[in-house]
Amino acid sequence: MIDSTFLQSNVLIVDDQQSNIDVLKGLLNHEGYTNYFSTTDSRMVVPLFKEFKPDILLLDLNMPYMNGFEVMKQLKTLIKPNAYFPILVLTADINAESKLMALASGASDFITKPFDLIEVDLRIKNLLKVGYLYQQLENQNQVLDDAVKNRTIELEKSNHDLSTALEKAKEMNRLKTNFLANMSHELRTPIIGINGFAELLRAEIADPELKEMAENIFKSGSRLAITLNLILDLSMLESERVVFDIKEIDLASEISVAFRRFFEAANKKGLSLKSTFSHAGIILETDEMAFQSILNNLIGNAVKFTYEGFVAVDISRKSDYIEIKVTDTGIGISKEFHNIIFEEFRQVSEGLNRNFEGTGLGLNITKKLVERLSGSISVESELGKGSTFVVKLPFRIRENNPE
Ligand code: ADP
């Protein structure tokens, strides 16, 4: 710190002996201090303190009317609790006890009379320096405090903005889900009609060219119906509108029902559909529609992504859950895609160059359904070597035929 800053400090001297005051003033004057005031009447300290706002007080202890301890006691009420105000006590007969008392009353340092002026000068400067550093610290604290306050206000504002945006996004999502559900429903009804009539025409028409046209209408209609069903499933799941109807289902017959749906497609590709069971007559307590939807998506994918070999469903009872494995000998999935394929709309081959038809919704819906039934789904697969999708559903089964 620069000395000139000290020299502008306000110094208040209180001593009942004018001669002591004169010596101290002489010292201050010699050192270059310009703002010093004094009094021999200790009763004047409080009003002088208020008016003069000293940076340091040089205080005698033994004085008539009010001694130094009493003065310090009164000043304490004027100084803010955490503020630093240096008091240099100047006294002739300071013993250990009065030193302790003075410290307790607020003194910062002592010096005994007669003064060694070099010492007095140094103590004053040291105390002023501490005061200056304290003030610097206070200022820094204030700056930090202000910065923290401003940042908190900013954070609160962006928090508020974020939650408003989140609410808006949720509302938009809800609207989207409702829209999808309504549209799928509205579209499904006419498509069922179109497919029904196309199927009739296919059976009735003799002309081969017209028959093929009817066949194509039926195929396109069926594909559209599958897509709509997926969208409807997804929107129902997202809107939490799905209410499960839990009852006992026989897994062997569920697999047959699912296989029947894919028999023609598998046959055309020369694929065999196989099923194995760890136990005979396994019954599972679950929602049949959801279970069929899970099988549908997994077996459908297995058939779609396999050129030769087989698609197998293996059902086995474990200690506290049932495991359904759908295995194929198809194109396989490289490791980097194992998690991604369960996300909405994600496919291994994406974009306009994709090699397979599909919406990228089947596995996402399957995962959501499995999880809603308190189960889990995972995939084991290697590129070019086929895939196995493993579904685990909670063990709520009993066996028809005990082993
Ligand atoms: P989609 O079949 O309609 O594209 P899915 O969500 O059912 O959508 O599957 C996402 C992607 O996961 C598929 O596009 C495909 O890339 C990959 N996939 C799923 N099942 C298999 C499988 N059995 N063999 C190879 N790839 C698969």
Side-chain angles (χ1 to χ4, degrees), residues 23 55 170 239 368 372 394:
V23 171
D55 299 303
K170 275 187 186 162
S239 66
K368 284 190 170 119
R372 290 284 293 273

Side-chain angles (χ1 to χ4, degrees), residues 12-13 24 28 115 140 155 160 181 199 241 254 272 281 293 299 304 338 342 353 364 368 393:
L12 177 60
I13 309 164
L24 290 168
L28 292 174
F115 311 128
Q140 287 297 330
L155 281 175
H160 179 261
E199 214 173 358
R241 267 191 280 175
E254 293 297 326
S272 56
S293 183
I299 300 172
K304 179 160 76 173
H338 284 193
F342 290 102
N353 298 327
N364 181 260
K368 284 190 170 119
L393 289 173

Side-chain angles (χ1 to χ4, degrees), residues 301 304-305 328 333 341 346-348 358-360 362-363 387 389:
N301 277 345
K304 179 160 76 173
F305 294 106
D328 65 58
I333 304 157
I341 53 171
R346 296 306 299 264
Q347 299 173 311
V348 172
T359 54
L363 285 180
S387 315
F389 283 84

